[in-house]
Amino acid sequence: MATAASVGSALEKIGVHLECSICTDKYKQPKVLNCLHSFCEECLVKYRDGTYGGAPQIPCPVCRQETVLPQSGIQGLKTNFHLVGLIDEFELQEKVACLGEAKLICQVCDKGNEAKDRCLDCEMNICLDCCKTHQQFPMLKTHKILSFDDIRQGKVSVPKLADEYKCQNHKESVKFYCKTCDELICHACPVLDHSKPDHDIIDIGKASKEFRQSLKSGFSAFEEDITGLEGSLRDVAASKKILYSNTAKARKKVQDRAAEGKAKINAEQTRLFDEITTQEKEQNKRLDEHEKKLSNMLQRKKHCLQTSQEVTRNASDTHFLSLHPVISKDMDNLRGQPPPTMARLKLHPVFAKSKKLDIDLGKVMVEDTWEQLQCFGKQGSGEGEFEVAKGIAAAADPDEIAVTDWKNKRVVICNKNGPTKNYLPINANDVVAVSNQWVCANVGKMMVYDRDTTHKFDFRTVPEDEVGKTVVKLVSVAVMPNGNIIAGDEERKVLTVHNPRNGEILHTMPVNITPNFLAVLGNGWIVVSDWGQGVMEKVEVSNGKAVTVNTIQPTIDGKPVKSCRGVCSNSSGIYLVVSTGYYNGGHIHHYNCAGQFVSCVSQGLYSPLGITITVDGQQLAVADLYSVKIYHKV
């Protein structure tokens, strides 16, 4: 049972949210700005006149979004009557629930008796005698009477007061809503100021129902926007960690190199430190600015959604309709706005030492530099040959690479020196290493083999009763951080999630683009590459749903690529194979975890398809149609 003290404590916590952030007191005649933040009318007048000299527009004191004031100034802004109602209700709850030993006098009789109850219909405090008399009248028997003791103990709460919204022009109770003017109006307005057919006038209840539904229909998209922004902020935090790590490593390498030359290279060491620090400050500045933009957009959208949901759920019809134009306009302005992007993001510096031990210690690199370490394979069907090397995966202990040799209907097992004599006799589109097994995406089913090529089991991506009835075309496979297997179905354009132990279907999730190639980020998001559209998407998967976080359209020489192909990822970001559509037009692009372009790792590949990162994270292996190329960082 709640005590008066606990009820009072709860009300005190709630009351903080009913305070103007300028004067830190309860709102008085709260006016709402375009960003949906509210402030006392008097506070806004002082804020405008004192800080902005009566300017026709002012930035919000909280989020800095500009609001163009109406001709009548601050007074012409919409009054947040919903907030007024909440304050009235709060003050009444506070009054009756938290008075403790204070004595309330009966408002009905003149005997000075202590009031023990409150009649909600009459809105009066009454003593025990008046309560008995009150209940004797037939017309008053339906009135709801609450005991102050019950209210103080939290057994009941005082309900919200009825609407008292008046027409701004005629001071009469409002009855209708003018959709043309976005105004609540009384019975006189249609005759005097809002006459048909120039004005579309409907009943308050109908208007409220229509606009509530309209706002609700936009909540889902807003929630997706917020999820995307939160993800982008996590990506920025991850990028900062990588930047910090790389900066620390670069400094350590500089120190090691400097130690070889002793005092004569101290000056050069200082120069390089300064350059690293400059690069660090520049990148951190960009990250801080980008983080601020993302945070501001997130806060704006969160505030808009929370305010919209609160008003839509709890505001009375008149209060809701009074605020609807401002809310709707703000949602329209913010809805679907993509997260701000940041060009030229580098997660360096990285130190590259000079070959000569000289006063010139080396240089600070602001981009990765890769070179081809090895290439093996040629066109054909014999040993060491490939006919459409497509999917590729890497595993450790021992280090091996599995390549789907598509036209030869086999999965070839390779080591760093080239193909071995081991292979899987299946026509698979893609392969991934899961635990000590190879999981292969055959066209119609998933097939699991031990690393020694022993067949373990198969599993379907549709329920048993749909096998043979539902057309599937499995083209990609990846593994989640928790070990679950993700399969990409080109025919149905879905991702299916499976238990790695038995292949049980856990979820089936439609995606916006064809999942020709897949990769998984460290946070569990999926990177989907679409061959036909030439786009890549980051997708958040949770609760059995796949929600697109952002879409990337890669370019080569300023022109959109013809196809996006294999994709893989590690802590430094995403590596994507793209192509101009011509032979020798293949590139490998590096993107950070936020999906922003970092650098071109390699170009001029023949016709690259799949890509993977070796287990040690130091090399990229690419299935280039008839060969396998391995790259490493310089």
Side-chain angles (χ1 to χ4, degrees), residues 78-149:
K78 291 281 187 180
T79 299
N80 193 335
F81 285 105
H82 175 60
L83 195 55
V84 173
L86 290 177
I87 294 169
D88 290 343
E89 180 184 358
F90 169 81
E91 290 178 345
L92 180 57
Q93 297 277 11
E94 187 177 44
K95 181 178 180 181
V96 299
C98 305
L99 284 175
E101 299 300 322
K103 183 178 179 181
L104 291 173
I105 304 301
C106 178
Q107 296 175 298
V108 176
C109 66
D110 57 0
K111 299 178 182 178
N113 293 336
E114 181 180 0
K116 296 290 186 179
D117 304 285
R118 180 173 178 84
C119 176
L120 301 183
D121 295 271
C122 298
E123 297 183 9
M124 299 182 74
N125 303 329
I126 55 179
C127 64
L128 293 177
D129 292 339
C130 290
C131 182
K132 294 177 182 178
T133 304
H134 205 77
Q135 293 173 329
Q136 290 175 354
F137 289 92
M139 293 181 62
L140 303 180
K141 282 187 175 182
T142 58
H143 284 202
K144 187 172 183 179
I145 298 175
L146 298 181
S147 160
F148 285 149
D149 288 338

Side-chain angles (χ1 to χ4, degrees), residues 231-384:
S232 295
L233 282 170
R234 287 195 293 270
D235 287 342
V236 169
S239 296
K240 282 191 168 186
K241 287 183 179 179
I242 295 171
L243 175 62
Y244 176 82
S245 175
N246 285 344
T247 300
K249 290 176 182 177
R251 285 200 176 99
K252 179 63 167 59
K253 288 183 178 181
V254 170
Q255 289 172 334
D256 291 344
R257 185 66 171 167
E260 298 175 16
K262 303 293 184 180
K264 69 176 183 178
I265 58 174
N266 284 342
E268 185 69 358
Q269 178 184 2
T270 301
R271 181 186 68 80
L272 288 168
F273 272 6
D274 290 343
E275 188 174 351
I276 289 171
T277 301
T278 298
Q279 288 293 334
E280 182 185 22
K281 287 180 179 179
E282 180 179 342
Q283 302 308 324
N284 260 322
K285 181 180 178 182
R286 291 176 183 168
L287 286 168
D288 287 338
E289 291 173 353
H290 188 53
E291 184 179 39
K292 183 177 180 181
K293 290 179 181 178
L294 288 169
S295 296
N296 286 341
M297 181 175 282
L298 176 62
Q299 290 305 316
R300 284 185 59 195
K301 290 199 177 188
K302 273 189 173 180
H303 175 70
C304 180
L305 180 61
Q306 290 168 358
T307 302
S308 301
Q309 289 176 328
E310 162 61 19
V311 172
T312 302
R313 284 194 299 262
N314 300 320
S316 68
D317 288 349
T318 53
H319 292 173
F320 169 80
L321 291 172
S322 172
L323 295 175
H324 171 264
V326 180
I327 295 175
S328 180
K329 182 178 179 181
D330 192 52
M331 287 186 69
D332 287 341
N333 288 337
L334 295 176
R335 184 182 292 108
Q337 282 188 10
T341 59
M342 178 172 57
R344 299 181 294 129
L345 172 64
K346 311 292 182 187
L347 298 181
H348 289 67
V350 173
F351 176 69
K353 64 181 181 180
S354 63
K355 293 182 179 179
K356 266 188 174 182
L357 182 57
D358 203 334
I359 195 67
D360 177 12
L361 296 183
K363 63 180 180 179
V364 176
M365 298 167 58
V366 294
E367 286 188 357
D368 286 340
T369 301
W370 294 74
E371 68 178 8
Q372 184 176 306
L373 180 68
Q374 193 171 2
C375 175
F376 56 80
K378 62 180 181 178
Q379 185 177 9
S381 57
E383 188 173 326

Side-chain angles (χ1 to χ4, degrees), residues 47 121 207 336 427 547 580 599 606:
Y47 171 69
D121 295 271
N427 185 18
V547 178
T580 61
S599 65
Y606 184 68

Side-chain angles (χ1 to χ4, degrees), residues 514-529:
T514 306
N516 294 118
F517 295 90
L518 300 175
V520 179
L521 298 176
N523 62 1
W525 288 4
I526 309 297
V527 182
V528 182
S529 172

Side-chain angles (χ1 to χ4, degrees), residues 333-461:
N333 288 337
L334 295 176
R335 184 182 292 108
Q337 282 188 10
T341 59
M342 178 172 57
R344 299 181 294 129
L345 172 64
K346 311 292 182 187
L347 298 181
H348 289 67
V350 173
F351 176 69
K353 64 181 181 180
S354 63
K355 293 182 179 179
K356 266 188 174 182
L357 182 57
D358 203 334
I359 195 67
D360 177 12
L361 296 183
K363 63 180 180 179
V364 176
M365 298 167 58
V366 294
E367 286 188 357
D368 286 340
T369 301
W370 294 74
E371 68 178 8
Q372 184 176 306
L373 180 68
Q374 193 171 2
C375 175
F376 56 80
K378 62 180 181 178
Q379 185 177 9
S381 57
E383 188 173 326
E385 297 176 337
F386 299 97
E387 282 283 1
V388 186
K390 188 178 181 183
I392 189 167
D397 299 327
D399 289 343
E400 289 181 326
I401 296 173
V403 183
T404 63
D405 186 9
W406 187 63
K407 281 193 175 181
N408 287 326
K409 298 182 180 179
R410 62 189 180 184
V411 178
V412 180
I413 309 301
C414 310
N415 57 31
K416 293 183 179 179
N417 298 316
T420 67
K421 294 182 179 180
N422 290 335
Y423 66 91
L424 309 176
I426 56 171
N427 185 18
N429 282 307
D430 199 8
V431 60
V432 68
V434 179
S435 186
N436 199 35
Q437 296 172 330
W438 300 114
V439 179
C440 305
N442 207 4
V443 174
K445 61 182 177 180
M446 305 298 293
M447 307 181 73
V448 182
Y449 291 80
D450 278 339
R451 290 280 300 281
D452 64 4
T453 72
T454 302
H455 179 247
K456 292 294 291 183
F457 65 94
D458 303 337
F459 60 88
R460 301 282 184 174
T461 59

Side-chain angles (χ1 to χ4, degrees), residues 172-233:
E172 299 287 339
S173 297
V174 295
K175 301 294 183 183
F176 307 103
Y177 188 80
C178 178
K179 296 175 71 174
T180 306
C181 303
D182 279 333
E183 287 184 15
L184 286 158
I185 59 176
C186 68
H187 66 280
C189 289
V191 178
L192 300 174
D193 305 309
H194 300 265
S195 58
K196 295 183 177 181
D198 296 330
H199 293 258
D200 185 5
I201 297 170
I202 58 175
D203 176 74
I204 282 178
K206 183 178 179 181
S208 177
K209 182 178 180 181
E210 177 183 333
F211 291 140
R212 285 178 198 266
Q213 187 58 42
S214 174
L215 286 182
K216 285 179 181 178
S217 66
F219 290 167
S220 177
F222 243 73
E223 288 167 348
E224 291 181 11
D225 285 351
I226 288 171
T227 297
L229 284 167
E230 290 173 334
S232 295
L233 282 170

